[in-house]
Amino acid sequence: MSELSISNSRGPDNFDSIYSPGEAVRSGFSTPASSARYSFEPHPMIGDAWEALRRSLVFFRDQPVGTIAAYDHAAEEVLNYDQVFVRDFVPSALAFLMNGEPDIVKNFLMKTLYLQGWEKRVDRFQLGEGAMPASFKVLHDPVRKMDTLIADFGESAIGRVAPVDSGFWWIILLRAYTKSTGDLSLAETPECQKGMRLILTLCLSEGFDTFPTLLCADGCSMIDRRMGIYGYPIEIQALFFMALRSALPLLKHDAEGKEFVERIVKRLHALSFHMRSYFWLDFQQLNDIYRYKTEEYSHTAVNKFNVIPDSIPDWVFDFMPTRGGYFIGNISPARMDFRWFALGNCQSMAIMDLIESRWEELVGEMPLKITYPAIEGHEWRIVTGCDPKNTRWSYHNGGSWPVLLWTLTAACIKTGRPQIARRAIELIENRLQKDGWPEYYDGKLGRYVGKQARKFQTWSIAGYLVAKMLLEDPSHLGMISLEEDKAMKPLIKRSTSWTCSMNRD
């Protein structure tokens, strides 16, 4: 959002230049194609990571269609970790694309698109036509020699919440596939065009909301349990923005496509203005909020959401450095959620400044905190409903998630700070394989394997591989990075307070 580029044409993102062509050869377990192409000395973990990733592959009629969430046979209960999750598969897909194996990704995109067309009912209520499944499972019948797909649209999920993020990840991944292969034919099929339009219809629909952000329930994203993110969570807004930008060059400019392009452009302008104006927080902005007046009316109001300054938590005053800033977790009438969320905060120089300044709090001994700080005590009881999995510094409540390494690495390369990514990768390489590739870590510093973490968690494995390949060949960033509009100066590079202090110096 800090580096906005909007075009009505299939403009700066027109796929004429392909950033990550890959090789159309299937690499061996211990010799990924990337290492063969770029002649670097691979870390010993890489071969094991590729072997573990391939072991997680799911096949439908002898074709690979995704990867299961975790390959942990030591766990007492499988639960739904043997399913292919849309959000979980994204880092696996990027790893395969970077390794020159696009067919797996293409199969996944088509299978989930097929599932989107299913009738979706939860307790006699029909979901929107464009909803994508949270996950799917392949049932093999060896007697009848048949494979059957079973999808979950939220009717089996914790809290029975439909995933808002699945459709966004699908569009983002379709663009990544197109950028990687240079093949527009998949995106231009009537099925993919219709799938994108159905997703966009859901999120661009008009209603009573006065904000361009997307209203969401708790549990609708990676944080799939009650964690107090109801409203306008930063993770969904960031994915919403990225999906809209990704859809622009993919939509055909026929009658239906042009209408959606116009709606997307209008929404992007409003969304980027809203996020930069109201979600961005740095030292100066925090000081301004601290001095807010309340009960202001009319268009001249400064405190537009009537936030009471006394509601600012004490921790944020010590956490906020004079250099750097971040997008807060949520904002709505009389409420600002000042928590730092990793997803939605990996895109600008000022955020990299914050991560460097608060390394111990946000990275510690295992990258990367999903949220900071943890909520505890009475607040934990109220916000999470006494969730035993989301106790303080665990799981989504301040836990550390290795999968987030790939988003951090991509942001570091985009902002010219690869040294931050190298430092984080070294931390991963010290422990992740030895600990059995766990799902998440617990504790303030991320020192302990999560109390309910599955081992051989696929996206922990894939996130590491993607981070390594991004550092070894930064051109891969083209799959997931948005091109900047050279004529538009980014509004958020360094924090206001950092710029002011540099000017004074």
Side-chain angles (χ1 to χ4, degrees):
M1 297 168 203
S2 62
E3 295 168 339
L4 177 65
S5 171
I6 299 172
S7 172
N8 276 306
S9 66
R10 304 182 82 170
D13 202 9
N14 61 8
F15 307 107
D16 288 340
S17 57
I18 304 305
Y19 291 81
S20 182
E23 292 181 4
V25 294
R26 186 182 178 94
S27 65
F29 283 164
S30 58
T31 312
S34 58
S35 63
R37 283 201 299 271
Y38 302 109
S39 64
F40 60 90
E41 186 64 31
H43 191 279
M45 276 175 60
I46 293 177
D48 288 337
W50 274 109
E51 185 173 356
L53 180 60
R54 295 195 192 285
R55 195 165 60 233
S56 71
L57 281 169
V58 172
F59 291 82
F60 180 79
R61 297 174 184 170
D62 297 325
Q63 293 292 319
V65 293
T67 51
I68 59 173
Y71 195 81
D72 186 0
H73 289 308
E76 295 178 5
E77 293 181 279
V78 175
L79 298 177
N80 56 1
Y81 284 82
D82 62 343
Q83 298 185 24
V84 180
F85 280 82
V86 173
R87 76 175 69 95
D88 290 41
F89 181 67
V90 170
S92 295
L94 295 177
F96 287 124
L97 287 174
M98 292 177 186
N99 203 45
E101 302 177 63
D103 288 347
I104 303 170
V105 182
K106 183 177 182 178
N107 293 340
F108 170 85
L109 288 167
M110 295 307 296
K111 280 293 170 284
T112 46
L113 189 61
Y114 163 72
L115 294 172
Q116 183 197 38
W118 284 14
E119 184 182 43
K120 301 170 276 284
R121 286 184 179 271
V122 179
D123 290 340
R124 302 182 184 181
F125 181 73
Q126 187 165 327
L127 275 67
E129 193 178 359
M132 280 285 185
S135 63
F136 66 86
K137 187 174 183 176
V138 179
L139 292 183
H140 301 284
D141 186 338
V143 177
R144 301 169 63 187
K145 295 183 179 179
M146 284 182 59
D147 289 347
T148 306
L149 287 173
I150 298 178
D152 176 18
F153 291 91
E155 68 270 28
S156 301
I158 295 289
R160 301 301 187 264
V161 177
V164 176
D165 61 342
S166 290
F168 297 152
W169 279 123
W170 188 88
I171 293 176
I172 292 166
L173 187 55
L174 178 62
R175 175 183 178 271
Y177 170 86
T178 307
K179 294 283 284 186
S180 175
T181 62
D183 178 16
L184 260 171
S185 62
L186 177 62
E188 290 183 341
T189 60
E191 295 83 1
C192 281
Q193 291 291 309
K194 180 182 178 182
M196 279 190 288
R197 290 196 302 267
L198 287 175
I199 294 168
L200 294 169
T201 297
L202 272 182
C203 60
L204 293 174
S205 59
E206 298 172 347
F208 289 99
D209 211 327
T210 58
F211 310 142
T213 40
L214 204 60
L215 182 63
C216 300
D218 258 317
C220 68
S221 58
M222 179 179 176
I223 299 177
D224 59 2
R225 302 163 79 93
R226 181 177 164 191
M227 268 293 293
I229 65 168
Y230 181 90
Y232 306 90
I234 181 63
E235 175 186 342
I236 290 297
Q237 311 317 317
L239 287 173
F240 182 30
F241 180 90
M242 182 70 178
L244 292 179
R245 284 288 312 275
S246 297
L248 271 179
L250 296 175
L251 286 166
K252 282 186 175 180
H253 281 203
D254 52 19
E256 287 183 293
K258 280 186 177 180
E259 179 191 348
F260 276 98
V261 166
E262 291 172 3
R263 292 172 67 186
I264 288 171
V265 170
K266 288 179 182 177
R267 189 63 167 264
L268 279 171
H269 277 297
L271 180 61
S272 59
F273 173 82
H274 183 90
M275 297 299 295
R276 287 191 296 234
S277 299
Y278 306 121
F279 276 69
W280 180 252
L281 188 72
D282 57 23
F283 183 86
Q284 185 60 55
Q285 181 66 8
L286 179 60
N287 205 163
D288 291 344
I289 296 170
Y290 177 68
R291 292 167 51 81
Y292 268 172
K293 293 181 176 64
T294 58
E295 307 300 323
E296 293 182 300
Y297 296 88
S298 83
H299 296 288
T300 60
V302 175
N303 185 2
K304 295 183 179 180
F305 294 91
N306 198 38
V307 173
I308 311 301
D310 286 347
S311 69
I312 303 173
D314 292 339
W315 66 264
V316 78
F317 292 103
D318 295 326
F319 176 74
M320 180 60 70
T322 54
R323 168 185 171 183
Y326 65 103
F327 289 102
I328 62 172
N330 218 321
I331 186 166
S332 56
R335 178 199 179 196
M336 292 183 78
D337 184 349
F338 288 92
R339 284 178 295 174
W340 180 89
F341 289 79
L343 284 176
N345 272 305
C346 283
Q347 69 252 64
S348 77
M349 292 287 283
I351 294 170
M352 292 296 107
D353 289 341
L354 177 86
I355 290 173
E356 278 196 308
S357 299
R358 294 291 176 257
W359 185 266
E360 289 299 307
E361 292 92 335
L362 302 179
V363 180
E365 295 184 15
M366 178 55 63
L368 179 67
K369 280 272 181 288
I370 188 170
T371 61
Y372 181 87
I375 53 178
E376 49 190 314
H378 179 68
E379 185 184 10
W380 166 77
R381 293 184 185 93
I382 298 299
V383 171
T384 75
C386 299
D387 189 343
K389 197 167 185 177
N390 273 328
T391 53
R392 62 177 186 170
W393 307 113
S394 180
Y395 202 51
H396 297 141
N397 189 12
S400 298
W401 291 70
V403 64
L404 297 171
L405 178 69
W406 81 263
T407 58
L408 176 63
T409 301
C412 290
I413 295 170
K414 179 74 180 282
T415 56
R417 312 278 272 276
Q419 70 279 4
I420 299 178
R422 291 192 190 98
R423 187 179 173 190
I425 287 173
E426 285 176 8
L427 292 173
I428 287 276
E429 290 177 337
N430 285 335
R431 290 199 55 188
L432 196 60
Q433 183 185 23
K434 296 175 186 175
D435 293 336
W437 309 94
E439 179 184 14
Y440 64 95
Y441 285 77
D442 286 354
K444 274 191 175 183
L445 296 176
R447 183 175 291 175
Y448 305 98
V449 174
K451 59 185 175 184
Q452 294 187 41
R454 291 298 194 276
K455 297 293 184 74
F456 289 92
Q457 186 78 16
T458 303
W459 67 356
S460 296
I461 296 163
Y464 166 70
L465 288 171
V466 171
K468 289 289 284 188
M469 286 190 280
L470 280 170
L471 266 188
E472 287 146 8
D473 180 11
S475 70
H476 286 314
L477 187 65
M479 288 187 209
I480 49 177
S481 177
L482 297 172
E483 287 71 18
E484 297 174 35
D485 188 339
K486 299 296 187 294
M488 185 173 187
K489 185 179 180 182
L491 297 184
I492 301 171
K493 278 291 186 180
R494 302 269 187 188
S495 64
T496 305
S497 51
W498 170 244
T499 306
C500 291
S501 66
M502 289 297 288
N503 290 340
R504 285 197 301 271
D505 293 344

